[in-house]
Amino acid sequence: MDQHRPHPPSPAGDGSAATASGGLIETRSIDYVPARERHGKVWHQGPFWFTGNFVLTTMVTGFIGPSLGLGLGWSVLAVVLGACFGTFFMAFHANQGPRMGLPQMIQSRAQFGIRGAIVPFAAVVFVYIGFNVFNVVLATQGLQTILPGGTTLWYALLIGLAIVLAVVGHDLLHAVQRWLTYLLIVVFGVLTVGAVVQLHPHAAAASGSGGGGGFTAFLVVFSAAAGYQISYAVYVSDYSRYLSKDVPSKKVIWWTYLGAAGSAVWLMSLGSLLASSLPNPDAISGLRQVGNAILPGFGTFAVVVSSLALISIMAVNAYGAMLTSTSAVDAFRKVRPTVKSRVAGIVVIELVVFVVALVLPADYLANFNNFVLLMLYFLIPWTAVNLVDFYFVRRGHYAITAIFDPRGIYGRWSWQGLTAYTVGFAAMVPFFATSFWTGPVAKALGGADVSFAVGLLVAGILYYGLTRSLDLNAEADAIAASDRALEGEDAEGPDAHKGSPLAV
C-alpha cells in the first residue's frame, strides 16, 4: 500500500470495518468508527471501568502506605485523594472517544505529529506490558490456591484466554466487564464487611503509628494511586469510541469517573486495611484469611473471582496495546486494519508479557511501587498535552483523515507537542523520588515526590502557549473536508466547527 495514503473511510464489510452484522470478531482496529456503526449505552462505561479497576493489582497499591510506616487512616486518605485526582484526567479522556471515533493513543498524532507520536506510544506500550505481567502473576497465584499446575502452564493458559477475549474485541469485553461488576460487588461487599469486623480498623490505625510514615510517605502513596489511575487514560477512548458522537459529554465523563474511582477507592482502601492489620500482608493470603473466617471456602472463592477479573483486564490491556503498537508501526509503514493484523498484534504483545512474567523477580511488590511511579512520570506530560489540545486549543474538532496522512495538516512531526512533552518531563526529573534515584528537589523536601504537579503544569501551560499561533480557521477547512470524506451525507455542515460540543 502507498505509504502516503491515509486510511479510507472503511465502509462496513470491507475487512476493516466494525463487527459485521451477525459476526463474532470485531474487525475495526485503529481506523475511524463512522456514525452508522456507533452503538452502546453511555452508562456501560461505569461497570466497564469499575471491573477494569477492581483487580488485585489495584489492592496492592493500597499496601504501599503501611509498608512505609503510614497509619491506616492516613493511608486510606492518601489513596482516596490520589485515586480521585488521577481518575479526573482519565475520565476527561473518555470524552474524546465519541467525538473523534478513534482509539485513544492514535489521537496523539494531532499534538505530536504522525511520527512524533511514537514518543508517548513507546511509554504506553511499556505500561500495558508492565500491568499485564503483574496481572498474570497475581491471577496465577490466585488460581493455584485451588487448582494444580505449574507457573509456566498457568501463565500460558491465562494469557491464552486473554488473547481470545481481546481478539473477539470491543463488544465482548464490555459484556464481560459489565456482568463481572455485579458478581464483584456482591462478593467483595461481604468480604469488606468481614474485614472491618474481624480486623478492627481502629486498632489497626493506632498500631500504624498515627501516620508515622510522615508527609513524604503520604505523598508517595498519593502519587502511586494517582499514577495508577492516570495509567488508564492511555486507552479509555478505546472503549468509548463506539458511542454516538451526540452522547452528552457530562454523561461520558461522569460514568467513567464513577466506575473507575469507585472501584479504586474501595480496593485500595481495603488493601490498606489488610496491610495495616496483617503481619505479612499479601493480596492472595489476605483475602483468603478474611473470607474463610466469614464462611469456610468463601475467601478462596473470592480469590478465584478476583482472578477472573484479572483475566478480563489482561484482555483489555492486550487490546489497547495492540491498538497503540499498530498506530506506531502505521506511522512508518501503513498497516491495513484487518482482523489478521489485530490478531498478530495481540499475540505478539502477549508473548512479550509471557516472557517477562517468567523472569520477574519474586519480590514484585517493591517493583510494582517503582513501576507505578515510573509510569506516572512518562504519562503525566502526555496527558497534559493531549487534554489541553482537546479542551482548550482545538476544542474537540479534528480532521480525522489528516491523522492518517503524513502530508496532512498534522504532519509527521509536531514541534509544539514534542517540545512541551520533553520540557515537561525534564522539569519533573529534579522532583523524582524512587528507590533507585532521588532528585535534588525531592531530597530537599525530605524525599517527597511532587513531580506529577510540576509535569502537569509545565507541559500543559507550555503547550497552550506554543499553540497560540495555530491557524485554526485554516484547519476548519480540512476538518470539513474530512467529515465529508468519512460520513458523506452524514457529515456536519460548514458551520459545525464554530462552536464546541465539549461543555461539561
Side-chain angles (χ1 to χ4, degrees):
M1 181 178 288
D2 184 353
Q3 183 174 346
H4 300 294
R5 289 180 59 194
H7 293 300
S10 302
D14 72 350
S16 57
T19 305
S21 176
L24 175 65
I25 298 177
E26 179 190 7
T27 52
R28 285 222 176 270
S29 176
I30 60 173
D31 47 342
Y32 172 74
V33 180
R36 63 182 176 275
E37 296 176 14
R38 304 294 183 94
H39 63 280
K41 299 178 180 178
V42 67
W43 70 266
H44 288 174
Q45 298 297 311
F48 183 91
W49 292 110
F50 181 91
T51 294
N53 217 7
F54 211 94
V55 290
L56 295 179
T57 324
T58 307
M59 181 183 290
V60 171
T61 306
F63 288 4
I64 296 173
S67 72
L68 297 175
L70 206 59
L72 175 60
W74 289 106
S75 294
V76 170
L77 180 61
V79 296
V80 168
L81 293 178
C84 290
F85 177 80
T87 309
F88 174 87
F89 299 93
M90 172 253 194
F92 273 81
H93 281 290
N95 188 39
Q96 296 170 316
R99 312 308 155 202
M100 300 181 70
L102 294 174
Q104 185 68 65
M105 289 309 299
I106 201 167
Q107 300 170 18
S108 299
R109 289 179 171 184
Q111 299 94 51
F112 297 91
I114 290 179
R115 292 185 176 176
I118 193 73
V119 175
F121 286 177
V124 168
V125 172
F126 168 75
V127 168
Y128 282 127
I129 292 174
F131 263 116
N132 263 10
V133 167
F134 287 111
N135 288 338
V136 74
V137 169
L138 285 173
T140 296
Q141 291 177 354
L143 292 174
Q144 283 178 330
T145 60
I146 61 169
L147 296 172
T151 298
T152 302
L153 174 63
W154 275 112
Y155 285 176
L157 288 174
L158 297 180
I159 288 173
L161 286 173
I163 288 174
V164 171
L165 291 174
V167 165
V168 175
H170 177 276
D171 288 356
L172 177 61
L173 290 171
H174 259 283
V176 170
Q177 297 283 86
R178 191 160 58 251
W179 286 105
L180 275 175
T181 294
Y182 308 132
L183 179 61
L184 289 168
I185 288 175
V186 172
V187 172
F188 274 83
V190 174
L191 193 73
T192 301
V193 172
V196 171
V197 172
Q198 294 175 44
L199 300 179
H200 307 294
H202 295 295
S207 66
S209 302
F215 184 64
T216 297
F218 185 92
L219 280 180
V220 169
V221 177
F222 179 93
S223 297
Y228 189 90
Q229 294 300 97
I230 289 174
S231 71
Y232 285 102
V234 302
Y235 60 166
V236 66
S237 281
D238 299 354
Y239 299 98
S240 64
R241 76 190 196 276
Y242 280 94
L243 290 174
S244 169
K245 63 174 61 178
D246 298 324
V247 67
S249 298
K250 289 182 179 179
K251 290 185 177 181
V252 179
I253 294 169
W254 168 247
W255 279 111
T256 302
Y257 190 93
L258 184 65
S263 55
V265 166
W266 185 350
L267 265 198
M268 289 180 187
S269 298
L270 180 59
S272 294
L273 174 58
L274 294 177
S276 297
S277 309
L278 303 177
N280 297 301
D282 176 82
I284 304 297
S285 61
L287 290 182
R288 291 188 67 195
Q289 176 180 330
V290 172
N292 289 339
I294 298 172
L295 181 70
F298 183 75
T300 302
F301 175 70
V303 169
V304 173
V305 170
S306 301
S307 299
L308 295 177
L310 281 167
I311 297 171
S312 177
I313 196 62
M314 284 168 56
V316 170
N317 288 339
Y319 181 94
M322 173 273 298
L323 292 173
T324 301
S325 57
T326 301
S327 299
V329 174
D330 179 77
F332 296 90
R333 182 181 181 86
K334 283 299 173 186
V335 177
R336 185 168 177 78
T338 62
V339 172
K340 183 178 179 180
S341 66
R342 287 186 62 246
V343 173
I346 290 168
V347 170
V348 169
I349 289 293
E350 289 301 89
L351 284 176
V352 174
V353 170
F354 179 71
V355 172
V356 175
L358 289 176
V359 300
L360 184 73
D363 185 16
Y364 68 89
L365 179 57
N367 289 301
F368 182 76
N369 186 17
N370 286 325
F371 171 73
V372 171
L373 288 174
L374 286 172
M375 176 175 58
L376 178 69
Y377 297 153
F378 283 107
L379 296 184
I380 280 292
W382 166 78
T383 197
V385 168
N386 186 261
L387 289 178
V388 166
D389 185 73
F390 186 82
Y391 286 98
F392 299 104
V393 178
R394 291 186 167 96
R395 300 183 64 79
H397 301 305
Y398 295 86
I400 302 301
T401 54
I403 285 178
F404 297 96
D405 185 0
R407 297 171 300 182
I409 58 174
Y410 303 122
R412 289 183 172 86
W413 306 89
S414 174
W415 67 271
Q416 295 99 329
L418 291 169
T419 300
Y421 182 93
T422 303
V423 174
F425 183 85
M428 295 170 64
V429 173
F431 297 84
F432 288 175
T434 68
S435 62
F436 53 86
W437 189 80
T438 301
V441 178
K443 288 181 179 178
L445 295 174
D449 189 331
V450 294
S451 59
F452 63 89
V454 175
L456 284 171
L457 290 173
V458 172
I461 293 173
L462 180 58
Y463 181 77
Y464 185 78
L466 293 175
T467 54
R468 299 309 295 162
S469 60
L470 287 179
D471 187 351
L472 297 182
N473 290 326
E475 189 169 330
D477 295 334
I479 294 171
S482 173
D483 287 348
R484 289 192 296 271
L486 291 173
E487 301 290 1
E489 295 180 356
D490 295 331
E492 298 175 326
D495 297 328
H497 302 287
K498 291 183 178 180
S500 172
L502 305 179
V504 296

